[in-house]
Amino acid sequence: MSTLLEAEHLTKIFTQRGKEPFRAVDDVSFSLKAGETLGIVGESGSGKSTLAKLITRLTDITEGTLKFEGKDITNLKRSQLKEVYGNIQMVFQNPVGSFDPRKTLGYGIGESLRNRNVKKEEVDKRVAELLEQCGLDREYAKRYPHEVSGGQCQRAAIARALAVEPKVLICDEATSALDVTIQKQIMELLKELKEKHGLSFIFICHNLALVQMFCDKVLVLYEGKVVEKGIPDDIINDPKEEYTQKLVEAVFA
Ligand SMILES: Nc1ncnc2c1ncn2[C@@H]1O[C@H](COP(=O)(O)OP(=O)(O)OP(=O)(O)O)[C@@H](O)[C@H]1O
Ligand SMILES: [Mg+2]
C-alpha cells in the first residue's frame, strides 16, 4: 500500500498577546496509507480539530513536516496548495452550519464542480449520483439545509466532499451531533465508500467504540500530545495510560 500522508513532529503554537505561547498540537507524527482509516480520539480541547486544520493547511504549521504522496507540502502557498487539496477533503463538526442557509444542498454539493467549469447538466447529473451514493434520494438536491434532518445533512456534506473525488476524507466529529443509530449508519456509509472507492479516512471523535468498529489504527491525543497509538483493539483491551483508561471506561459505562 502506498503512503498518502506522512506527518512528522507536527506542532501548532498559538501566540496571543500577554499570554504564554500555547502548544495546541505538540509533536504529533503519523502516517496514512491508501485505503486506511486512522482514528483520532481525545477529550474536548485535546487538539483534534487543530490537527485536522494543520493536515488540511487551513492553519499554518508552526513546526514539523507534512508530506502528501511523498511531496513536502509543509510550506506550500495557497495557490500551490490548490492541487494537493483536491485530494484531501474535510467534513466539519456541524453539518448544517457548513452549508449556506440561503442555497439548496444541490447548489452546495455542485459548487466545486462549477468552479472547475463543469457544464450545468453535467453538474446536476453528478450531484444526483453523489446524493444517491450517500443514501439520499436525488430530490434532496432541491432542499435547503433547514429542511433536512441532521443525519441527512451529514450525508449531503459527505456528498459535497466527494464531489472532487478526493483520496483522503477527514471527518471531524462529523457524527457527534447525531444519535448513536444515525452515527452508525453514517459510519456504514463511510465504510462502503472506502471499500468501493479505496478512500482513506481520518476519523476524529470522542467515541472509542466507533473507532474500534471502523478504524485500522488510532491516535489518542491529550493536551496536544499523542499519548498512545496503535490498533484500536489493543488499546481498548490494554490501555497503557490512565487517560486512555478513562476514555475506555466512558465507552463501556
Ligand atoms: N485560534 C486559536 N487561538 C488560540 N487557541 C486556540 C485556537 N484554536 C484552538 N485553540 C485552543 O487549542 C486547544 C485545542 O482546540 P481544538 O479545537 O483542536 O480541540 P478539540 O480536540 O477539537 O476539541 P473538541 O472535542 O471540543 O472539538 C483548545 O484549548 C483551544 O482553546
Ligand atoms: Mg474539535
Side-chain angles (χ1 to χ4, degrees), residues 86 89-91 109 156-166 169:
Q89 287 290 305
M90 183 144 157
V91 178
I109 296 168
I158 294 169
R160 182 178 53 186
L162 292 178
V164 291
E165 298 178 32
L169 190 60

Side-chain angles (χ1 to χ4, degrees), residues 14 16 22 24 43-50 93 173 206:
F14 287 115
Q16 283 170 302
F22 176 71
E43 64 185 9
S44 185
S46 57
K48 304 181 297 297
S49 295
T50 307
Q93 215 150 6
E173 283 183 311
H206 292 105

Side-chain angles (χ1 to χ4, degrees), residues 6 10 21 35 63 86 128 132 135 159 161-162 178 214 223 242:
E6 230 176 325
L10 278 190
E63 286 166 17
E132 284 176 356
L162 292 178
L178 311 171
F214 294 101
E223 293 183 349
E242 196 187 331

